[in-house]
């Protein structure tokens, strides 16, 4: 139980490649922090620095009030779950769980008691004598989790732990990880590139891009008010529609009072789920409107995605409930309420409010 | 269908049996030779069936020695050969697994330089460096010692390279998990790397044991005393008897006995050896 603080943490690899460019945030005690971003954004490097597997080029990492920059991973009192589980192949499940405790010279009966307790929590008691290769992917995942919880560490670190599982198992393990973390109350930092995992697991979402933190917040806060065009396009599936506009174009799209567009233009964004189609050109909810030619329609059952082309070539996705959709080639008008519009600076780096 | 299948099975079997016969015939001949007396072999009419002198010949070979010369019985030679072969196999494996561990898992100055130096020694077997090696061994008073028989043959680029290749396939996450679990370099080596290398070690042991067992040139140079010579040298010395008849029945007994330990090693290690080839534990 501890909070994890990062203060201006940087990582520069040999050859002057800056993987992490000065990241500062605190994960309060007991919180579930998810680092999300595209591959190569530095999220795994950051996690490995917290674990002590990478050196810190600059900045300070604190776990439970103790600066850990120069401390060995084993002394940091953290546990890590790896993407490929990294179970010891020649040890049975029991020894895999017990190994870390034995290295810490924990008394034998305490090891036994802790291993059995962890096995009970994860429902792997009947697997204790098996070798990792005799286990299914989901079982290995549980053992990897067990190896983390048996240690009762200050923090759990997860490095894309679900990406080797099939889609169905991933959903159920996701729910279990969340339940487990809630009941144990251990501070957790979880790295993923899957925004669905990020949204569902996090108490605190950290969106990273190219070594920088783009936004930190509650998952829904990040969804409702993305701080930059990158976050807007990364969080949410399908991604937010973004259009580069100047004041005149914006005025043509939006009815009523003009919204503020700076001189250099801006990026206007609207989520596919906030758009509706108006077949007769009337605008039932007023505000934003955009004429489209339907280019493709995807029906996935509960909802339908309509891909439309605007005259100047931009692609717009509209998400409709149910299965009714216009035919390909039809001319339609997409409409949205004006409070559902997002505005960003022309370079996409900042959100414009008010 | 059934007939075609049985014909299809017969032909490979015939070929295999012919192959076995070609390999087994000289061994059989040696065995037959080891069960007759000297006169039967010397008159060139040795029958193709075992003779009545089996126990006598083997007893004499191991405990008495050839009669017309001053040569030792082969009992001590067997021990010498064992010490040398096991010493070389164990030594080579220990040295090379440690070198490979250093080269793969540690970053130290001139790491790649050391790697290439080890690599280059592939081109320098003992036959090439025989004079300097002998000189060094002689200066260190290693002539006629087990250390002299074993040490110069222990460095092994092949085994180092093999372990290096194997270590490089061990996932990095395993090292990292060990670090988080509080295992330092030595614990990681003992607790994880060594158990994972078990099948590789077994395979190498088989190869290196046979290599050590069949060494000829080096033991011939380094040993002068009869009580230090190895079995393979012993055979040679038994055949070349300048003023007496070669006692072929004793030679054949020695050959049979010399063949057994490698065969046992192969049989004993075969299970591990094959498992190392067919299953990966990673």
């Amino acid at each position: 139980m501890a909070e994890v603080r990062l203060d201006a943490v940087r990582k520069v690899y040999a050859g002057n490649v800056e993987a992490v460019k000065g990241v500062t945030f605190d994960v309060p005690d007991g919180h579930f922090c998810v680092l999300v971003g595209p591959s190569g954004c530095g999220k795994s490097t950051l996690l490995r620095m917290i674990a002590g597997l990478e050196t810190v080029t600059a900045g300070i990492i604190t776990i439970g009030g103790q600066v850990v920059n120069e401390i060995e991973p084993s002394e940091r009192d953290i546990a890590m779950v790896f993407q490929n589980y990294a179970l010891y192949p020649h040890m049975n499940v029991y020894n895999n769980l017990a190994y870390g405790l034995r290295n810490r010279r924990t008394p034998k009966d305490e090891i036994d008691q802790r291993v059995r307790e962890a096995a009970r929590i994860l429902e792997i008691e009947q697997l204790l004598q098996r070798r990792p290769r005799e286990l299914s992917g989901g079982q290995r995942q549980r053992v990897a989790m067990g190896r983390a919880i048996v240690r009762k560490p200050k923090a759990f670190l997860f490095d894309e732990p679900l990406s080797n599982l099939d889609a169905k198992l991933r959903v159920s393990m996701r729910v279990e990880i969340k339940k487990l973390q809630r009941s144990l109350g251990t501070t957790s930092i979880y790295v993923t590139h899957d925004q669905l995992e990020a949204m569902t697991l996090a108490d605190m979402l950290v969106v990273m891009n190219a070594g920088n933190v783009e936004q930190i917040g509650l998952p829904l806060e990040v969804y409702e008010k993305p701080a930059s065009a990158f976050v807007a396009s990364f969080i949410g599936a399908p991604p937010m529609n973004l259009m580069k506009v100047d004041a005149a174009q914006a005025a043509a799209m939006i009815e009523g009072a003009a919204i503020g567009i700076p001189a250099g233009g801006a990026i206007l964004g609207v989520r596919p789920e906030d758009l509706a189609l108006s077949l007769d050109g009337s605008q039932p909810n007023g505000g934003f409107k955009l004429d489209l030619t339907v280019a493709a329609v995807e029906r996935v059952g509960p909802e339908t995605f309509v891909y439309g082309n605007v005259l100047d070539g931009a692609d717009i996705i509209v998400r409709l409930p149910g299965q009714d959709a216009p035919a390909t080639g039809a001319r339609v008008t997409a409409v949205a309420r004006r409070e559902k519009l997002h505005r960003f600076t022309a370079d996409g780096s900042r959100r414009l409010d008010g | 269908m059934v007939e075609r299948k049985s014909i299809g099975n017969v032909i490979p079997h015939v070929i295999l049996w012919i192959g076995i016969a070609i390999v087994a015939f000289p061994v059989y001949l040696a065995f037959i030779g080891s069960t007759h007396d000297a006169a039967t072999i010397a008159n060139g009419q040795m029958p193709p069936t075992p003779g009545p002198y089996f126990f006598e010949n083997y007893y004499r070979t191991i405990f008495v020695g050839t009669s017309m010369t001053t040569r030792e019985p082969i009992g001590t030679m067997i021990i010498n050969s064992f010490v040398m072969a096991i010493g070389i196999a164990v030594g080579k494996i220990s040295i090379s697994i440690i070198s490979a561990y250093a080269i793969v898992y540690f970053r130290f100055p001139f790491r790649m330089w050391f790697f290439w130096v080890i690599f280059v020694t592939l081109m320098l077997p003992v036959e090439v460096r025989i004079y300097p090696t002998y000189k060094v061994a002689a200066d260190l008073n290693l002539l006629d010692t087990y250390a002299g028989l074993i040490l110069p043959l222990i460095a092994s680029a092949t085994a180092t390279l093999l372990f290096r290749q194997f270590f490089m396939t061990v996932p990095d996450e395993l090292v990292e998990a060990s670090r988080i679990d509080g295992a330092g370099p030595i614990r990681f080596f003992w607790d994880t790397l060594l158990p994972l290398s078990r099948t590789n070690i077994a395979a190498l042991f088989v190869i290196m044991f046979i290599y050590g067992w069949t060494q000829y040139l080096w033991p011939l140079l380094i040993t002068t005393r009869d009580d230090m010579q190895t079995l393979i040298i012993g055979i040679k010395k038994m055949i070349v008897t300048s003023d007496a008849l070669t006692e072929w029945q004793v030679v054949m007994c020695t050959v049979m006995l010399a063949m057994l330990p490698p065969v046992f090693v192969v049989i004993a290690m075969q299970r591990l050896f094959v498992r190392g080839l067919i299953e990966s534990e990673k």
Side-chain angles (χ1 to χ4, degrees):
Chain A
M1 312 285 148
E3 64 169 357
V4 176
R5 288 169 172 272
L6 306 182
D7 186 14
V9 172
R10 289 176 68 225
K11 177 71 187 179
V12 182
Y13 282 112
N16 240 356
V17 183
E18 195 168 8
V20 176
K21 301 171 182 168
V23 167
T24 303
F25 63 85
D26 294 354
V27 185
D29 184 19
H31 275 56
F32 200 119
C33 166
V34 175
L35 300 178
V36 67
S39 37
C41 71
K43 59 190 191 297
S44 279
T45 309
L46 195 61
L47 188 79
R48 292 166 56 81
M49 284 196 282
I50 298 170
L53 300 171
E54 298 272 0
T55 55
V56 179
T57 309
I60 293 168
I61 298 177
T62 323
I63 299 174
Q66 182 191 18
V67 176
V68 295
N69 283 33
E70 302 295 329
I71 294 181
E72 272 291 301
S74 57
E75 308 288 314
R76 295 189 182 195
D77 203 8
I78 43 101
M80 187 150 168
V81 178
F82 293 88
Q83 183 176 352
N84 66 3
Y85 320 134
L87 302 177
Y88 306 113
H90 57 291
M91 297 182 195
N92 63 24
V93 170
Y94 184 96
N95 288 329
N96 262 288
L97 298 187
Y99 187 63
L101 295 174
R102 283 197 193 125
N103 286 338
R104 284 179 178 70
R105 304 187 197 287
T106 314
K108 230 181 172 145
D109 40 343
E110 195 191 332
I111 293 179
D112 192 65
Q113 180 230 320
R114 282 219 235 166
V115 167
R116 297 201 182 275
E117 188 193 336
R120 187 179 49 75
I121 294 171
L122 290 164
E123 294 161 21
I124 51 172
E125 287 156 301
Q126 70 288 2
L127 305 177
L128 283 176
Q129 297 309 319
R130 301 241 197 119
R131 295 274 181 97
R133 76 176 122 84
E134 299 160 346
L135 304 178
S136 68
Q139 290 170 334
R140 287 181 204 192
Q141 171 63 45
R142 282 165 188 275
V143 176
M145 295 282 300
R147 197 166 60 176
I149 68 174
V150 79
R151 293 248 316 276
K152 301 188 175 161
K154 285 182 189 157
F156 291 143
L157 307 178
F158 297 91
D159 190 4
E160 308 203 14
L162 301 183
S163 52
N164 280 5
L165 298 178
D166 62 62
K168 212 169 174 180
L169 208 50
R170 202 177 302 169
V171 174
S172 65
M173 279 310 290
R174 193 173 74 204
V175 176
E176 284 200 37
I177 288 180
K178 183 72 181 167
K179 274 202 300 208
L180 192 65
Q181 194 269 344
R182 279 257 167 80
S183 67
L184 296 173
T186 309
T187 313
S188 301
I189 302 177
Y190 186 108
V191 161
T192 182
H193 58 260
D194 181 324
Q195 55 107 10
L196 199 62
E197 266 174 41
M199 294 296 288
T200 50
L201 285 172
D203 305 324
M204 173 183 170
L205 189 59
V206 177
V207 185
M208 289 187 68
N209 182 32
N212 288 310
V213 170
E214 293 267 339
Q215 189 171 6
I216 299 175
L218 293 168
L220 286 180
E221 210 174 277
V222 173
Y223 172 83
E224 299 284 353
K225 277 182 181 287
S228 68
F230 171 80
V231 176
S233 64
F234 193 79
I235 298 294
M240 184 188 282
N241 298 303
L242 296 172
M243 293 153 282
K244 217 164 170 182
V245 292
D246 56 28
Q249 286 167 317
M253 286 179 200
I254 296 156
E255 280 200 342
I259 59 168
I261 298 290
I267 294 175
L268 202 59
V270 56
R271 293 208 178 267
E273 48 271 42
D274 292 334
L275 283 168
L277 289 185
S278 155
L279 297 176
D280 54 3
S282 73
Q283 293 161 50
N285 37 21
F288 175 81
K289 70 164 183 171
L290 191 60
D291 292 330
L292 305 174
T293 310
V294 176
V297 174
E298 282 179 354
R299 288 185 173 84
V300 293
E303 59 203 15
T304 300
F305 302 117
V306 176
Y307 293 77
N309 292 338
V310 191
L311 284 180
D312 60 5
D315 286 342
I316 297 292
I317 307 175
V318 182
R319 181 177 185 168
L320 300 174
Q323 291 157 16
D324 287 339
T328 309
R331 302 276 307 157
V332 293
T333 305
V335 295
R337 299 229 304 269
R338 82 186 272 149
E339 63 267 28
K340 294 292 183 186
L341 293 176
H342 304 262
R343 282 173 307 140
F344 305 98
T345 53
D347 63 357
S349 66
R350 218 159 38 75
R351 178 183 183 84
L352 295 169
D353 273 314
Chain B
M1 190 64 201
V2 173
E3 277 147 43
R4 244 200 22 232
K5 200 180 164 198
S6 67
I7 290 172
N9 277 337
V10 164
I11 294 171
H13 272 97
V14 169
I15 295 172
L16 290 174
W17 278 110
I18 292 172
I20 290 171
I22 291 172
V23 173
F25 181 68
V27 178
Y28 177 73
L29 211 59
F31 174 71
I32 296 299
S34 73
T35 60
H36 287 283
D37 64 347
T40 315
I41 301 172
N43 73 14
Q45 302 203 340
M46 188 177 79
T49 50
Y53 295 96
F54 177 85
F55 291 107
E56 191 193 327
N57 285 348
Y58 279 91
Y59 176 80
R60 216 158 66 100
T61 307
I62 297 172
F63 299 107
V64 183
T66 49
S67 52
M68 302 300 179
T69 61
T70 56
R71 295 294 175 211
E72 298 269 325
I74 68 162
T76 46
M77 295 183 210
I78 290 181
I79 294 167
N80 290 344
S81 277
F82 255 112
V83 172
M84 182 176 179
I86 288 174
I88 286 176
V90 171
K92 269 184 188 265
I93 289 169
S94 327
I95 296 274
S96 54
I97 201 167
I98 295 168
S99 332
Y101 184 51
I103 282 173
V104 174
Y105 286 102
F106 294 88
R107 300 284 164 271
F108 52 89
F110 302 111
R111 189 173 66 96
M112 284 319 280
W113 189 80
F114 280 111
F115 172 69
W116 286 112
V117 167
I118 293 173
F119 193 85
V120 162
T121 62
L122 268 184
M123 283 174 260
L124 297 170
V126 77
E127 289 79 3
V128 178
R129 53 184 166 91
I130 196 110
Y131 177 72
T133 307
Y134 182 85
K135 171 86 171 111
V136 170
D139 288 349
L140 292 172
N141 290 325
L142 293 178
L143 302 184
D144 281 322
T145 63
Y146 286 134
L149 276 173
I150 294 166
L151 287 181
L153 299 180
I154 267 185
S156 173
T158 329
T160 310
L161 294 179
L162 192 126
F163 281 123
R164 174 181 177 265
Q165 291 314 110
F166 170 67
F167 290 168
M168 282 165 68
T169 67
V170 173
D172 288 343
E173 284 86 352
L174 226 46
V175 188
E176 292 169 352
S178 294
R179 283 180 69 189
I180 290 177
D181 269 343
I186 292 178
R187 295 215 68 133
F188 173 68
F189 182 75
W190 278 108
D191 291 347
T192 304
L193 216 48
L194 216 52
L196 287 180
S197 314
R198 225 171 36 145
T199 50
N200 280 290
I201 292 173
L204 268 176
F205 185 85
V206 172
I207 295 165
M208 295 307 173
F209 181 86
I210 293 171
Y211 166 86
W213 187 264
T214 56
Q215 275 303 306
Y216 178 70
L217 184 61
W218 183 249
L220 186 67
L221 280 172
I222 197 94
T223 61
T224 51
R225 298 205 323 258
D226 269 7
D227 65 343
M228 281 306 296
Q229 73 193 2
T230 60
L231 206 47
I232 308 299
I233 307 293
I235 295 171
K236 171 78 171 97
K237 288 191 176 168
M238 272 178 212
I239 294 171
V240 187
T241 48
S242 43
D243 52 359
L245 216 54
T246 302
E247 290 184 72
W248 282 109
Q249 83 281 19
V250 176
V251 176
M252 288 306 153
C253 285
T254 314
V255 167
M256 291 308 291
L257 291 171
M259 212 174 58
L260 288 180
V263 169
F264 280 131
V265 167
V266 170
I267 291 171
M269 297 282 185
Q270 195 180 31
R271 221 167 45 89
L272 269 178
F273 190 84
V274 172
R275 219 166 73 185
L277 297 179
I278 59 172
E279 108 186 355
S280 104
E281 279 212 81
K282 287 185 289 297

